[in-house]
Amino acid sequence: MKKTLVELAALLNGTATEAAGIEITGITNIDDAGSGDITFAVPPHIEKAGKCGAAAVIIPDTTQSFPKPAIRVANPRMAFTTLLSLFTPKPDVSPGVHPAAVVSASAKLGANVAVMAHVVVDDNAVIGDNTILYPHTYIGRHAIVGSDTLIYPNVTIRENCQVGNRVIIQSGAVIGSDGFGFVTVGGKHQKVPQVGNVIIEDDVEIGANTCLDRATTGSTIVKQGTKIDNLVHLAHNVVVGENCFFVAQTGIAGSAKIGNNVTFAGQSGSAGHLTIGDNCVFAARSAPINDTPANSFCAGFPARPHREWLRSEAAVGRLPELIKKVRELEQRLAEVEK
Amino acid sequence: MKKTLVELAALLNGTATEAAGIEITGITNIDDAGSGDITFAVPPHIEKAGKCGAAAVIIPDTTQSFPKPAIRVANPRMAFTTLLSLFTPKPDVSPGVHPAAVVSASAKLGANVAVMAHVVVDDNAVIGDNTILYPHTYIGRHAIVGSDTLIYPNVTIRENCQVGNRVIIQSGAVIGSDGFGFVTVGGKHQKVPQVGNVIIEDDVEIGANTCLDRATTGSTIVKQGTKIDNLVHLAHNVVVGENCFFVAQTGIAGSAKIGNNVTFAGQSGSAGHLTIGDNCVFAARSAPINDTPANSFCAGFPARPHREWLRSEAAVGRLPELIKKVRELEQRLAEVEK
Amino acid sequence: MKKTLVELAALLNGTATEAAGIEITGITNIDDAGSGDITFAVPPHIEKAGKCGAAAVIIPDTTQSFPKPAIRVANPRMAFTTLLSLFTPKPDVSPGVHPAAVVSASAKLGANVAVMAHVVVDDNAVIGDNTILYPHTYIGRHAIVGSDTLIYPNVTIRENCQVGNRVIIQSGAVIGSDGFGFVTVGGKHQKVPQVGNVIIEDDVEIGANTCLDRATTGSTIVKQGTKIDNLVHLAHNVVVGENCFFVAQTGIAGSAKIGNNVTFAGQSGSAGHLTIGDNCVFAARSAPINDTPANSFCAGFPARPHREWLRSEAAVGRLPELIKKVRELEQRLAEVEK
């Protein structure tokens, strides 16, 4: 994909400010944008965008001066969304069942489904319209996969699990592995049957080699619009709200209930059986061990309010100096006491 | 599976205390039990069980009053184990080799083995009776898998590795990947050949996308009854005792020797070449860097006795206040010195 | 492989010091060496090697007394490298395309390539000479894999990615999964197209279930000679220099630029958009959140110089005692003030 700034401006009903002939080859957010990329900005990010690495920026038509090539439009967010679709390549896969795929006679495939080589769709599984199953993917018995969903190679979706529409599952992800449940009787760990499932709602993305355990009974649930990165672990009976982010290598223990719009940054985690309110943000490597009210911004382990964490981190840095000072005080006091 | 309380009581030779008609649909431990589930309790957990979310509890027949529906039996643990078997669904897989599986002519399959579509069983591999291999599983040359073992889709078992009886391996697990061994000569890292194997004893469970590296020489060993969760890493030459727990995302570095009944909680770890005694418990996110005597309960990084960790965590929380107090003392002392 | 000490000495043009008949069955580094293994040592490691678990040690011919069986040679490193090749088993795989593999008519296979059962090589992919693809591996459209490369079972290499010569990729690794990039518009996370690729240069090793995300645009790059362990995450647009080590469960956030000869020890990480200089070492579980100059040795989170980390860790350990002392000082001062 390659478009000049003026071509994009025409497409967006906007105005290219300058350098109309420069070529745009990619699209991304302000922080990641490099030469060739277009991004967008609205207040209060206009100034930052003016200094970013992007080739051009979509800005509000009310913005006065701007130091970079830009396209002025009425609604930069909406324009950006339009360009996202434009720059997103359509999957280059023809519909149809590859002769080396194995699809059970009792499975139901929608219209225009692509089942690539060496896929297995087991008994009574249901696959929605336009969905693409890449090679070496296993769809278990009675599993249901929605429409317009994209499942990359080597994915496992175990029996009875449900995957929504427009879901993307990256390679190696495991949906519906057994929860880690045991009861220890006489020193031996006896397996608790894990007979629930996983429900993934619409517009969710699941990262590479991420594991979502099935519920002991009932369902492990990921609600619509939530995006999960690579190597994340969600244990049995976790319920995740809408539009959350789980960044790479995060792990959520069993039965945690996570609200909407929550972010767990990289390598973070959560103890089990907690309730995390809407809009919480957990910094990288933090992990709550208690219920956390909505709108909290936490860091550290055990997670505490970010400001408090900063204060105690700073205090720890000053600790060697404090020890020295206390020793001096002691000597001066001894002197006075004499 | 759905049984009334009175049906279960009859099966257990016990007495349903009340509400004999309520329906039980699942079974799990006290902490995870919800409506529909049955659990069990013995002293000192009777009171906790009385307040838990379970529909009913199996209790000793010596227990007097109990606030929830219950079944009184002579031995609650044994009764619970009986119900576990009852509630565990039998795998719904017919024995036989699927025509789309590839089994080497030199491989040996026991009686009633199920080799599902797109499995590969390589030369001289041996599979025991009643074992089930789900699709896209690879069993390497000279690998040995025991009887009544369940291997879910997309698992890799590399050459010469050994897996015991009644083992469960979740999807995406890798058994026998090369250990991470290099010798740096002239700034280049040269690979040390990893020619050992992995031995997994009976009744072990291995989680989804967990990796067990083969030994450099000799064996990486997981002894009987140990249960390993998702995304765990055991490096080359690690030896793990019996009946341990490794919770999700734990990583054990090379050549660590772990005793029996040890628990590593979620996101914990261990340095290499350590010896960890029997019955140790490492809290979530902790990691020992020294040998640890039996029966230790540790937290933090580097791991230290849990009580000590609590004390220093509390002290850190009070540190900003301490800094303030020292400043005051200094001023008061200066005043006195004048 | 089994050789007597005197046979190895002859092969290395060296002298076996004693016990010429002892049998050597493996080869590894000083720390990991056990009975049956040979290792090597040069100053200042000679004394340590004399006490290590190896059966024998390759030492410089200038070394006087040595307490263990040894082979004296002019250049121990070079001799060790010779033995590494000797002890490394050749892969036991015949070239050719298995009839149950699916190779696109437009793919190009070099000489002596082994494509094992149930591999998929997609359209226009290119595979170099002598490369081995184990079962259930997927090579995406327009992907390029070099010569003498070894790809174990269940690996995914997505479209347009490039893998060099003599690369080893362990089972379950995912090369070229989508980067985790979203722009939030009206509370919904919209996917940023990830149209870049991953480039893995020569002599790299990638661990089991490790994930390397493709770049948003451009390339995520791992330069030659770098070795990556299991369950590691490299996010989109990360660039890693030559001859680095990434030990298990490390995670590097997006667009970080890592120099040459850098080590990230187990369970460490890095924030995104950082620049890490050559020869840096990050201790286990540490993670930098700022640019780090070359030759730094860091620990802790946020990562700081190792010496500083040690000092503050020690200080935290003394904190409960410090709190007590300040309380005493306060009382004594109050006494004086009276």
Side-chain angles (χ1 to χ4, degrees), chain C residues 222-245:
Chain C
V222 179
K223 294 191 182 161
Q224 59 182 12
T226 283
K227 310 297 182 183
I228 302 180
D229 200 354
N230 300 340
L231 295 165
V232 169
H233 164 75
L234 299 191
H236 52 174
N237 294 83
V238 165
V239 177
V240 171
E242 302 179 2
N243 301 316
C244 295
F245 278 134

Side-chain angles (χ1 to χ4, degrees), chain C:
Chain C
M1 173 63 61
K2 197 184 282 190
K3 293 273 177 191
T4 63
L5 200 61
V6 75
E7 284 170 339
L8 295 179
L11 208 136
L12 299 174
N13 251 336
T15 322
T17 57
E18 55 169 311
I22 62 168
E23 287 186 331
I24 302 300
T25 54
I27 180 166
T28 189
N29 59 62
I30 294 180
D31 287 335
D32 289 332
S35 66
D37 291 335
I38 194 164
T39 189
F40 85 101
V42 291
H45 303 297
I46 302 287
E47 197 184 327
K48 180 181 174 190
K51 297 175 192 154
C52 82
V57 185
I58 305 170
I59 54 175
D61 49 19
T62 52
T63 306
Q64 298 299 319
S65 71
F66 190 76
K68 295 181 80 76
I71 298 175
R72 290 192 154 84
V73 296
N75 186 334
R77 286 181 194 278
M78 200 170 299
F80 185 75
T81 298
T82 303
L83 290 198
L84 278 179
S85 309
L86 180 73
F87 277 88
T88 300
K90 299 301 159 274
D92 182 22
V93 178
S94 310
V97 177
H98 192 282
V102 172
V103 177
S104 162
S106 60
K108 277 193 190 129
L109 304 188
N112 301 315
V113 167
V115 180
M116 293 175 72
H118 298 145
V119 165
V120 174
V121 182
D122 216 328
D123 299 346
N124 300 300
V126 178
I127 313 289
D129 298 347
N130 309 312
T131 284
I132 297 174
L133 307 180
Y134 271 82
H136 311 123
T137 280
Y138 173 74
I139 309 292
R141 283 171 219 98
H142 297 276
I144 298 174
V145 177
S147 299
D148 300 296
T149 281
L150 193 47
I151 302 187
Y152 282 107
N154 285 310
V155 167
T156 298
I157 298 181
R158 287 263 307 271
E159 67 276 11
N160 302 315
C161 291
Q162 299 178 17
V163 175
N165 303 307
R166 297 174 304 281
V167 169
I168 298 174
I169 305 185
Q170 302 291 332
S171 286
V174 177
I175 312 301
S177 37
D178 288 358
F180 195 67
F182 300 90
V183 171
T184 304
V185 181
K188 309 270 185 205
H189 308 310
Q190 305 226 20
K191 185 175 177 72
V192 170
Q194 304 291 312
V195 297
N197 73 347
V198 175
I199 297 176
I200 297 175
E201 295 188 354
D202 296 345
D203 299 301
V204 166
E205 181 158 346
I206 306 287
N209 285 335
T210 278
C211 303
L212 273 58
D213 277 357
R214 65 196 311 111
T216 309
T217 58
S219 298
T220 302
I221 301 173
V222 179
K223 294 191 182 161
Q224 59 182 12
T226 283
K227 310 297 182 183
I228 302 180
D229 200 354
N230 300 340
L231 295 165
V232 169
H233 164 75
L234 299 191
H236 52 174
N237 294 83
V238 165
V239 177
V240 171
E242 302 179 2
N243 301 316
C244 295
F245 278 134
F246 290 79
V247 183
Q249 298 177 319
T250 289
I252 308 295
S255 300
K257 305 284 174 256
I258 317 256
N260 298 323
N261 310 309
V262 171
T263 295
F264 279 87
Q267 301 185 327
S268 65
S270 173
H273 295 274
L274 302 188
T275 298
I276 307 293
D278 293 346
N279 310 313
C280 285
V281 175
F282 295 93
R285 305 195 144 225
S286 67
I289 62 170
N290 292 113
D291 289 352
T292 305
N295 306 308
S296 302
F297 175 24
C298 295
F301 176 72
R304 45 197 178 281
H306 186 255
R307 196 170 306 184
E308 204 178 290
W309 178 77
L310 281 179
R311 205 159 47 212
S312 70
E313 282 296 299
V316 167
R318 293 167 57 191
L319 194 47
E321 170 205 348
L322 185 72
I323 290 172
K324 214 167 123 189
K325 177 167 291 174
V326 169
R327 205 177 305 126
E328 284 168 17
L329 282 182
E330 207 177 2
Q331 288 165 351
R332 283 164 55 189
L333 183 58
E335 201 62 38
V336 169
E337 285 171 332
K338 272 197 256 163

Side-chain angles (χ1 to χ4, degrees), chain B:
Chain B
M1 174 62 63
K2 198 183 280 189
K3 293 273 178 192
T4 63
L5 200 62
V6 76
E7 284 170 338
L8 294 179
L11 208 136
L12 298 174
N13 250 335
T15 322
T17 57
E18 54 169 311
I22 61 168
E23 286 186 332
I24 302 298
T25 54
I27 180 166
T28 189
N29 57 64
I30 294 181
D31 287 334
D32 289 331
S35 66
D37 292 333
I38 193 164
T39 188
F40 85 101
V42 291
H45 303 296
I46 302 287
E47 197 184 328
K48 180 180 174 190
K51 297 174 191 154
C52 82
V57 185
I58 304 171
I59 54 174
D61 50 18
T62 53
T63 306
Q64 298 299 320
S65 71
F66 188 76
K68 294 181 80 76
I71 298 176
R72 289 193 155 84
V73 297
N75 186 333
R77 285 182 194 279
M78 201 171 299
F80 186 75
T81 298
T82 303
L83 289 198
L84 278 180
S85 309
L86 180 73
F87 277 88
T88 300
K90 298 301 160 275
D92 181 24
V93 177
S94 310
V97 177
H98 192 283
V102 172
V103 177
S104 162
S106 59
K108 278 193 189 128
L109 305 187
N112 302 314
V113 167
V115 180
M116 294 176 70
H118 298 144
V119 165
V120 174
V121 181
D122 216 328
D123 299 345
N124 299 300
V126 178
I127 312 290
D129 299 346
N130 310 313
T131 284
I132 297 173
L133 307 180
Y134 271 82
H136 311 122
T137 280
Y138 172 75
I139 310 291
R141 285 171 219 98
H142 297 276
I144 298 174
V145 177
S147 300
D148 301 294
T149 281
L150 193 46
I151 302 187
Y152 283 107
N154 286 309
V155 167
T156 298
I157 298 182
R158 286 263 306 272
E159 66 277 11
N160 302 315
C161 290
Q162 299 178 17
V163 175
N165 304 309
R166 298 174 303 281
V167 169
I168 298 173
I169 305 186
Q170 301 291 333
S171 285
V174 177
I175 312 300
S177 36
D178 288 357
F180 195 66
F182 300 90
V183 171
T184 304
V185 181
K188 310 269 185 207
H189 308 310
Q190 305 226 19
K191 185 175 177 74
V192 171
Q194 304 290 313
V195 297
N197 72 347
V198 175
I199 297 175
I200 297 174
E201 294 188 355
D202 296 345
D203 300 301
V204 167
E205 182 159 344
I206 306 287
N209 285 336
T210 278
C211 303
L212 273 56
D213 277 355
R214 64 198 310 110
T216 309
T217 58
S219 298
T220 302
I221 301 174
V222 179
K223 294 190 181 162
Q224 59 183 11
T226 283
K227 310 296 184 184
I228 302 180
D229 200 353
N230 299 341
L231 295 166
V232 170
H233 163 76
L234 298 191
H236 52 175
N237 295 83
V238 164
V239 176
V240 171
E242 302 179 1
N243 302 315
C244 295
F245 279 134
F246 290 77
V247 183
Q249 298 177 319
T250 289
I252 308 294
S255 299
K257 305 285 173 256
I258 316 254
N260 299 325
N261 311 310
V262 171
T263 295
F264 280 86
Q267 301 185 325
S268 64
S270 173
H273 295 274
L274 302 188
T275 298
I276 306 294
D278 293 345
N279 310 312
C280 285
V281 174
F282 295 93
R285 304 195 144 223
S286 67
I289 61 169
N290 292 113
D291 289 352
T292 305
N295 306 307
S296 302
F297 175 24
C298 295
F301 177 71
R304 45 197 179 280
H306 186 256
R307 195 171 305 185
E308 205 178 288
W309 177 77
L310 280 179
R311 204 159 49 210
S312 70
E313 281 297 299
V316 167
R318 293 168 57 190
L319 194 45
E321 168 205 348
L322 185 71
I323 290 172
K324 213 167 125 191
K325 177 168 292 176
V326 169
R327 204 178 305 126
E328 284 168 16
L329 283 181
E330 207 177 1
Q331 288 165 350
R332 281 163 56 189
L333 183 58
E335 201 63 39
V336 169
E337 284 170 332
K338 270 196 259 164

